[in-house]
Amino acid sequence: MSSSLSSVYFPSGSADAAATGVAHGHGAAVGGVLKRCRELVRPSLVEAVGRLHPWTGEMAAYALGWSDAAGTPDPGGSEGKGVRQALAVLGAEAVGADGGVAVAGAVAVELVHTFSLLHDDIMDGDGLRRQRPAVWKAYGTGPAVLAGDALLALAVQCLAEAPGPWTGEAVRRLSGTLNTLVHGQAEDLRFERRPWSGAGAVDPGQYRSMAEGKTGSLLGCAIALGAVLGGAPAGTVAVLEQAGRHLGVAFQAVDDLLGIWGEPVVTGKPVHGDLRLRKKTYPVLAALAGGGPAARELAVLLEAPGLLDGAAAAHAAMLVEEAGGRAAAREEARRHLDAARRGLRGVSLARGAAEDLDALLACLLDRSW
């Protein structure tokens, strides 16, 4: 990337701001881990985006929080949490390798994650992402699809060009993950057409399976790629990948809680946003599965046509909580975080990286970001 483009796509401060936000809410240790990993990966991520066509590169920079819709630097833009790239770095360090060997894997998963967000926002009709217009709103639907395609192709290319004897295995793992991710997204879209109750209704177990594919697979792939590129044996890689998948299911459960009860100033979405759109999320499905008067009233409310207005969405949120959906989602997250922690403790890992991973797990249940 030229120095002029680098100044546009590589603003100072935005990564620090994101890390600081995590640190203030969930412990300085986690904020420091995310910041350290982001600083390690970001130069290569900037270089990768600089290889794109200028137009798709501009959209990618906007999606990554580096610039505004005019293509100028945006120091206040949110780059996201950087959990996936951190997992790749920590995966390598956990098996005794230098985190630098995982940078290509970290770049790849960050590009795939950004690609998935661009396309998800279009499919879900979400007009906001990280407190500003989604790429499809800022640039148009067709250009956003193209930018997502470019990021996906670039992710595979960057990983395929990584030096070392484990590149082929890393690319195969990423390719398999992409198929799983698409499978999960397909199930998520199909859920929209299924009824809220009765025959054909989505149950919490089916939602859990979808979440493992859509969210868990990429988190599992991230930590596994770090371990693969770090030369870990297959057994250790498998354990780390499964821990990452559990982490992903927990991550999705907490996201679902934030989609209903999160603070708009933090999440960038309106309060009760997922209920307004009648999204089938874990708290809602668990509430409906529990039965009882609140669950039955909730089903009637959700089956009525049209969007829910503010008062109706607030009432629905109350019914979800009364029917046990909020508590069930927290328990779902807790259960999968505990499973991830047990898996990590079942293999021999480098102490420092293991402590960083444990800190990350510990902060996720009560996160607000």
Side-chain angles (χ1 to χ4, degrees):
M1 175 177 286
S2 69
S3 59
S4 59
L5 284 178
S6 182
S7 67
V8 173
Y9 294 147
F10 197 4
S12 61
S14 54
D16 290 351
T20 300
V22 174
H24 287 172
H26 299 277
V30 173
V33 170
L34 296 177
K35 179 183 177 183
R36 174 177 69 83
C37 294
R38 186 185 285 110
E39 289 178 345
L40 175 64
V41 174
R42 197 207 276 187
S44 294
L45 185 59
V46 171
E47 182 181 2
V49 171
R51 298 163 66 179
L52 294 172
H53 182 281
W55 192 34
T56 55
E58 179 184 314
M59 288 184 280
Y62 177 82
L64 288 161
W66 301 343
S67 66
D68 60 22
T72 56
D74 186 7
S78 171
E79 297 187 25
K81 298 167 284 290
V83 171
R84 290 155 189 82
Q85 55 185 292
L87 285 173
V89 172
L90 294 176
E93 293 176 349
V95 299
D98 186 281
V101 305
V103 166
V107 168
V109 295
E110 190 66 19
L111 293 173
V112 168
H113 177 53
T114 307
F115 138 76
S116 72
L117 296 181
L118 264 66
H119 284 196
D120 281 3
D121 285 344
I122 295 169
M123 287 183 274
D124 295 341
D126 286 340
L128 289 176
R129 170 67 61 181
R130 296 172 183 166
Q131 301 181 339
R132 62 179 183 171
V135 174
W136 71 276
K137 279 290 189 179
Y139 290 89
T141 301
V145 171
L146 181 64
D149 293 343
L151 288 168
L152 178 59
L154 181 63
V156 177
Q157 182 181 8
C158 288
L159 188 57
E161 292 174 353
W166 314 111
T167 302
E169 172 58 26
V171 172
R172 284 190 291 272
R173 189 169 293 274
L174 179 65
S175 299
T177 297
L178 291 172
N179 281 324
T180 304
L181 190 155
V182 170
H183 182 95
Q185 178 66 12
E187 287 300 300
D188 194 25
L189 289 176
R190 290 180 66 200
F191 286 172
E192 296 178 6
R193 302 181 180 182
R194 293 172 60 176
W196 285 103
S197 59
V202 181
D203 63 47
Q206 292 170 328
Y207 184 87
R208 182 183 302 117
S209 177
M210 179 280 297
E212 183 175 352
K214 181 178 177 179
T215 305
S217 63
L218 190 57
L219 269 71
C221 178
I223 192 169
L225 283 179
V228 167
L229 294 170
T236 300
V237 173
V239 169
L240 291 175
E241 180 173 27
Q242 188 57 44
R245 283 176 171 260
H246 281 299
L247 174 60
V249 176
F251 201 94
Q252 184 63 57
V254 176
D255 261 5
D256 290 348
L257 289 168
L258 295 175
I260 299 176
W261 293 285
E263 290 290 338
V265 68
V266 178
T267 65
K269 296 184 179 182
V271 65
H272 306 142
D274 282 356
L275 283 173
R276 290 171 185 261
L277 298 174
R278 286 187 170 83
K279 289 188 177 181
K280 291 184 173 71
T281 61
Y282 194 90
V284 177
L285 297 176
L288 293 172
R296 289 191 292 272
E297 184 179 352
L298 178 63
V300 171
L301 186 60
L302 292 172
E303 287 167 352
L307 298 177
L308 298 179
D309 62 21
H315 184 57
M318 182 194 71
L319 292 171
V320 171
E321 185 158 13
E322 185 179 336
R326 188 172 189 171
R330 281 188 60 83
E331 180 56 31
E332 173 80 351
R334 187 188 306 279
R335 184 166 56 249
H336 283 278
L337 289 173
D338 287 345
R341 192 173 284 111
R342 286 195 302 272
L344 292 174
R345 291 174 179 171
V347 291
S348 178
L349 302 176
R351 181 175 179 179
E355 290 174 349
D356 287 344
L357 286 168
D358 195 63
L360 182 58
L361 291 172
C363 86
L364 285 180
L365 184 60
D366 295 312
R367 67 185 173 91
S368 61
W369 36 278

